[in-house]
Every structure is written in structure tokens, then in C-alpha cells.
Amino acid sequence: MKQKALYEAKDKKRNWMFLYAIVSFVCLCLFVVNGFPKKAVGADVASPKMLKIGVVDLNDVFSKYEKRKKNDAQLREQESQYQKSINDKKKELVSLNEKIQLMDLGSEARKKDEETFEKKNMELESFAKFAEKNLVKKYKSYFESLYSEVCKEVEDIGKREQYDLIIKKEEPELQSGGISELQFKVGIKTVLYYSDTLDLTNRVIDNLNKKYAEGTKGK
């Protein structure tokens, strides 16, 4: 009888140990699934931060930036002046060539004018190359300057209003060009869809034009 009671006590102890092991295993699983314990009820639990994203259409910015319009007009005027000088030099060469054709072959006067023609023709070629190189240099310089201004304005808005990301939007012109050009234009499109609430384009344009107007007052 005493031995039977001893066996029953051992069985009960084993049952309690088995039950304890099961409860411990369940608690461990719940801990792994749910992670570390959260703060007590009523404590300040930080929620995940939502990304703040903006979109800017650079083509629209450049086309509506007043400084770009003024610079374009200045470059067109410079190009027009260069072209006028080139045309004047060409007309001078044509007149000189017509004069040479009427002169006697082998005459000293003709030989002298032919030398003048060659000299002026070389001057024309040199001037045309200079004009092209100078225009390209000016265009590159002013475009880099404008691009830096636009990027700076976008960056200022991003920092001031705590944007996480501002993406360049660009609408390619798909109505012209061959299939390879079309594929290239489709390939460079970076944003396929965005909500109008994300569009910062007009704000960038307004800020740039306002700063430009303030900078040119009294000039």
C-alpha cells in the first residue's frame, strides 16, 4: 500500500513536470512570434514613420523659369549676330570671286585678289568655328547654372519640409522619331503614376521666379 502511494506521487510529479514543459514551450512560441514585450498600456509607443515623397517635372520648370527665357533670348541674339557676320563675310567672298573671274588670267591684279580671297575664306572658316564653339560653351555654362539653381531649390524644399524623397518626373515626346528613339524615350521615363498632391512643380517654379524677380530689381 505504501509502495502504491509512492508510485502515485511519482506519477503526479511527472504529470506536473510534463504540463510545466508544455506551458513553457507555448510561452516561448508566443514570445518568438510577437517579439519583445510592448510598453505598458498608455505608454507612448512610436508608430512607423510614413515616407514623405514629392515629384517635380523638370521640363516644366525649365520652360517656365523666367531666367531661362531671358538667357535663351540673349543666346538667340548672340547667334543672330554671329550669323549676320558670317553672311556678310560670305557675300564679300562672292563679290570678290565674281571680280576675279572678270580679270585676265595670270595678271598681277588677279593673283593679288586670289590671295586676298584665300585669306578671307580662311578667316571665314575660323570665325564660323569660333562662333559655334563660343555658343556651345555659353549654352553649356548657363544650362549648368540653371540646373544647379533648380536642384538647390528642390533640395531647400525637401529639407525645409522634411521630405524623404523628391523624384524627377519627365514626360517624353512620343510623337516623332523612329522606333529606336521611341524605345529610348519610353525607357528614360522615371515615374509612371503619381497623385497630384505629390506634385511640387509649380511651387518650385514660383519660388525660382520670385527669387529671380527680387534679384533683378533695380537692374
Side-chain angles (χ1 to χ4, degrees), residues 8-219:
E8 290 177 352
K10 288 182 178 180
D11 287 340
K12 185 179 292 186
K13 184 178 180 180
R14 282 196 297 270
N15 290 339
W16 275 108
M17 291 179 64
F18 181 70
L19 181 61
Y20 178 78
I22 292 177
V23 172
S24 298
F25 177 74
V26 171
C27 290
L28 178 62
C29 291
L30 291 174
F31 179 81
V32 172
V33 171
N34 295 325
F36 292 97
K38 297 181 180 179
K39 292 183 179 180
V41 176
D44 184 17
V45 180
S47 58
K49 183 178 181 296
M50 298 295 292
L51 286 176
K52 189 173 182 180
I53 299 175
V55 177
V56 175
D57 186 337
L58 287 186
N59 287 338
D60 202 23
V61 171
F62 278 115
S63 67
K64 295 179 181 178
Y65 187 15
E66 293 300 326
K67 187 175 182 179
R68 162 75 185 280
K69 295 178 183 179
K70 183 177 180 180
N71 286 347
D72 281 350
Q74 290 175 341
L75 277 179
R76 284 195 297 268
E77 177 62 26
Q78 180 71 76
E79 184 178 3
S80 177
Q81 291 176 2
Y82 281 148
Q83 191 59 55
K84 182 179 183 303
S85 296
I86 290 173
N87 291 338
D88 289 343
K89 291 178 182 297
K90 285 182 177 179
K91 289 179 181 178
E92 185 180 0
L93 284 173
V94 169
S95 297
L96 182 56
N97 184 58
E98 290 175 350
K99 177 185 175 183
I100 291 172
Q101 299 307 316
L102 297 175
M103 301 174 74
D104 294 334
L105 292 174
S107 65
E108 287 297 323
R110 177 166 180 154
K111 183 178 179 181
K112 184 177 180 180
D113 282 348
E114 286 176 341
E115 291 175 353
T116 302
F117 180 89
E118 290 299 325
K119 182 180 178 181
K120 288 184 177 295
N121 189 46
M122 290 178 65
E123 290 176 351
L124 172 59
E125 292 179 358
S126 178
F127 179 79
K129 290 179 180 178
F130 162 78
E132 181 181 7
K133 184 178 180 179
N134 193 43
L135 283 173
V136 170
K137 182 179 179 181
K138 284 187 174 182
Y139 180 83
K140 182 176 180 292
S141 177
Y142 110 82
F143 185 82
E144 287 175 349
S145 176
L146 288 180
Y147 183 70
S148 296
E149 288 182 34
V150 172
C151 289
K152 180 66 169 54
E153 183 58 40
V154 173
E155 182 179 345
D156 287 346
I157 292 176
K159 290 180 177 179
R160 185 169 60 249
E161 302 184 19
Q162 298 183 335
Y163 277 87
D164 296 293
L165 182 67
I166 297 180
I167 305 172
K168 177 187 75 172
K169 168 185 175 289
E170 189 171 9
E171 286 294 342
E173 174 57 54
L174 304 179
Q175 301 303 318
S176 61
I179 182 63
S180 59
E181 184 179 353
L182 177 62
Q183 289 173 337
F184 173 76
K185 289 179 178 179
V186 170
I188 64 173
K189 185 174 174 64
T190 53
V191 181
L192 297 180
Y193 170 79
Y194 66 95
S195 169
D196 289 341
T197 57
L198 302 180
D199 196 346
L200 305 175
T201 303
N202 288 333
R203 289 178 55 192
V204 173
I205 295 170
D206 292 342
N207 289 354
L208 287 170
N209 285 335
K210 182 179 179 181
K211 291 179 180 178
Y212 176 62
E214 292 174 351
T216 55
K217 283 181 178 179
K219 289 185 178 181

